């Protein structure tokens, strides 16, 4: 008999597997959000092996079905970007809540997962902070490189500084263990004044 966690994990993966956007990792193609979900879960379990079931689900569902809420459907300015991000959090939270209800979780569990996905009380709630650390670590490890080719150095330094400011001390220590290209490591050090 599958546990609620196994069912929810399978259903989250099945949703993310429908992503029409493809990303290549080590010469293999994956639906983009399925790959992101796998990276989030793996990083969480490496970083905090005793993570609660709520945060494990939240890490897997962080970007669930993200392609369904297109960035282009909002104004292409800072205000539009922030509105898109807020709508995404609600969308991810609602999509996940429906799966968790179907998997047999109680309302308290579902509410906690929604709280985490919506990143409430960042810096005050330990699990929200843990999830933010994992998001930042996954960004630095896998998604910084593509950003480097899209933006000028000042914008990149600003992105790295903002990412760093969201993280805990433990997150910072972990981030410095990631294997970066020499160019990116120098960029990170310059951004942070290290």
């Amino acid at each position: 008999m599958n546990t609620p966690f196994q069912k929810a994990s399978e259903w989250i993966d099945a949703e993310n597997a429908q992503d029409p956007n493809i990303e290549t990792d080590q010469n293999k193609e994956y639906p983009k959000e399925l790959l992101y979900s796998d990276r989030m879960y793996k990083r969480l379990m490496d970083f905090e092996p005793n993570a609660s079931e709520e945060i494990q689900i939240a890490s897997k569902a962080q970007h669930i079905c993200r392609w369904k809420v297109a960035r282009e459907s909002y104004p292409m300015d800072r205000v539009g970007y922030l509105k898109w991000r807020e709508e995404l959090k609600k969308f991810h939270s609602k999509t996940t809540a429906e799966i968790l209800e179907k998997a047999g979780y109680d309302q308290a569990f579902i509410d906690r997962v929604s709280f985490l996905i919506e990143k409430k009380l960042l810096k005050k709630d330990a699990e929200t902070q843990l999830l933010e650390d994992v998001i930042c670590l996954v960004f630095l490890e896998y998604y910084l490189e593509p950003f480097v080719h899209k933006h000028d150095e000042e914008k990149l330094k600003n992105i790295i500084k903002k990412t760093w400011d969201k993280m805990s001390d433990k997150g910072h220590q972990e981030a410095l263990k990631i294997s970066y290209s020499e160019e990116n490591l120098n960029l990170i050090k310059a951004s942070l004044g290290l």
Side-chain angles (χ1 to χ4, degrees):
M1 182 65 186
N2 277 359
T3 64
F5 180 79
Q6 286 168 322
K7 283 190 227 172
S9 295
E10 281 172 24
W11 291 337
I12 290 165
D13 286 349
E15 289 293 325
N16 280 328
Q18 294 174 48
D19 189 349
N21 304 294
I22 300 299
E23 197 168 307
T24 304
D25 182 49
Q26 297 178 353
N27 299 320
K28 193 170 172 210
E29 291 189 337
Y30 299 89
K32 183 179 175 186
E33 295 309 345
L34 181 62
L35 181 61
Y36 180 79
S37 175
D38 289 347
R39 285 171 169 170
M40 283 288 296
Y41 183 72
K42 183 179 183 316
R43 171 52 83 176
L44 172 69
M45 299 317 289
D46 288 346
F47 186 56
E48 185 49 73
N50 299 317
S52 71
E53 208 165 292
E54 289 91 339
I55 198 163
Q56 288 181 50
I57 296 271
S59 74
K60 286 187 72 63
Q62 186 60 31
H63 279 186
I64 190 166
C65 299
R66 178 169 253 206
W67 68 93
K68 292 182 179 179
V69 183
R71 170 66 185 97
E72 295 73 35
S73 59
Y74 293 83
M76 296 305 282
D77 56 16
R78 179 101 182 117
V79 174
Y81 173 76
L82 293 173
K83 180 135 182 55
W84 174 66
R85 291 291 301 266
E86 275 311 302
E87 291 302 315
L88 273 174
K89 283 182 199 172
K90 290 177 192 158
F91 170 73
H92 297 320
S93 170
K94 183 175 181 292
T95 306
T96 306
E98 287 165 4
I99 288 172
L100 296 179
E101 195 174 344
K102 197 169 72 165
Y105 281 107
D106 65 26
Q107 196 57 49
F109 185 96
I110 295 168
D111 290 347
R112 181 63 181 161
V113 172
S114 293
F115 177 96
L116 293 169
I117 288 175
E118 292 180 35
K119 292 195 275 190
K120 293 186 174 170
L121 295 181
L122 184 61
K123 298 283 185 192
K124 294 190 177 94
D125 183 277
E127 286 191 317
T128 301
Q129 185 58 55
L130 172 58
L131 184 62
E132 187 64 42
D133 280 346
V134 172
I135 290 164
C136 293
L137 290 167
V138 167
F139 168 72
L140 289 168
E141 185 168 4
Y142 297 104
Y143 301 98
L144 177 62
E145 186 66 37
F147 261 76
V148 168
H149 302 294
K150 283 188 203 162
H151 301 291
D152 63 59
E153 191 170 327
E154 277 318 300
K155 176 140 190 180
L156 287 166
K157 283 182 176 177
N158 192 28
I159 289 167
I160 290 166
K161 179 92 178 65
K162 281 183 176 168
T163 301
W164 203 257
D165 288 346
K166 291 181 198 168
M167 297 170 81
S168 68
D169 290 342
K170 185 183 174 193
H172 294 156
Q173 289 163 20
E174 195 68 18
L176 293 172
K177 295 177 193 169
I178 293 170
S179 178
Y180 301 100
S181 68
E182 189 177 345
E183 179 191 11
N184 286 354
L185 183 59
N186 290 337
L187 179 66
I188 289 167
K189 286 180 172 175
S191 307
L192 304 173
L194 297 176

